Amino acid sequence: MLIDLLTYSKFNKTNLLANIVAGHHQWDEGIKDVNEIDSIYNCKKMEGNQSETLLLVSLNKSFDQAKADGVYRRLDIYEATRKYWKIGKNAPQEIKYVLGVYKGIVRSVIEITSWKWTDVAEDGTKFKSERCIFEGKLLNDSEYLNKDVSDYPFGSGGAIRYIRK
């Protein structure tokens, strides 16, 4: 008696599978270290009753420096958070903190001391309009650090979001 084994290749004749997505949803399902897992699953939502005006800036293009290129290449998280934001000319006067947000979680907080304007990045990239560069102190013990800000979406293609007091 010869037993024919049921294998996938013999069973599936119409739906041949291929791995063509090449990392699609990798952020949700990929390998992470302990600190990354802790920041994703153990962070609390940011409360909306703060007394300062905040500027949330998206670090999605500059947080992972291995994948960043051009104007998004930065030395560290401080540089990624403080540079080249397209905001209104009067906005810096009311902003107390700039919060660098990556994948909906606050990864850096800068307490603003000053700001300046530029229309050319360090790598020579020319902007169509002036961009703001913030100066300040990187806070490692801020109440906003590692908070979930998914209740404050950036909007369609936007890289900034104000949370006013």
Side-chain angles (χ1 to χ4, degrees):
M1 178 170 163
L2 184 60
I3 300 175
D4 190 17
L5 295 175
L6 180 61
T7 62
Y8 182 78
S9 60
K10 289 181 181 179
F11 176 71
N12 182 18
K13 296 293 184 188
T14 58
N15 297 321
L16 299 176
L17 298 176
N19 185 12
I20 60 172
V21 292
H24 190 63
H25 296 293
Q26 181 178 354
W27 169 254
D28 300 323
E29 301 165 2
I31 297 172
K32 296 173 183 55
D33 64 19
V34 173
N35 293 331
E36 193 67 31
I37 292 169
D38 188 50
S39 69
I40 294 168
Y41 296 109
N42 197 24
C43 65
K44 295 180 172 81
K45 293 238 183 219
M46 189 170 79
E47 296 179 17
N49 60 359
Q50 67 277 348
S51 59
E52 302 93 10
T53 297
L54 309 174
L55 176 65
L56 276 60
V57 296
S58 174
L59 301 181
N60 289 345
K61 292 183 179 180
S62 60
F63 187 78
D64 184 357
Q65 283 298 296
K67 297 178 183 175
D69 62 343
V71 74
Y72 300 106
R73 299 279 304 165
R74 308 287 168 75
L75 292 174
D76 55 26
I77 190 118
Y78 174 74
E79 293 296 317
T81 304
R82 75 184 197 97
K83 283 186 179 175
Y84 311 132
W85 301 110
K86 188 176 181 178
I87 61 174
K89 286 288 187 179
N90 295 327
Q93 298 167 5
E94 64 179 281
I95 297 169
K96 175 79 172 169
Y97 298 102
V98 175
L99 282 58
V101 177
Y102 181 65
K103 302 290 186 181
I105 299 169
V106 177
R107 304 305 179 107
S108 61
V109 178
I110 297 176
E111 184 175 15
I112 302 306
T113 56
S114 65
W115 59 89
K116 60 184 177 180
W117 298 93
T118 187
D119 60 354
V120 179
E122 288 175 347
D123 71 344
T125 301
K126 287 191 151 286
F127 302 118
K128 292 179 183 177
S129 60
E130 284 192 315
R131 304 287 177 103
C132 189
I133 300 174
F134 293 100
E135 299 286 339
K137 179 182 177 188
L138 185 65
L139 303 177
N140 294 320
D141 59 351
S142 171
E143 64 180 304
Y144 302 117
L145 201 57
N146 296 319
K147 297 289 185 186
D148 179 351
V149 291
S150 58
D151 290 344
Y152 304 96
F154 283 104
S156 181
I160 64 164
R161 163 77 182 196
Y162 295 99
I163 300 177
R164 292 191 162 81
K165 57 183 174 181

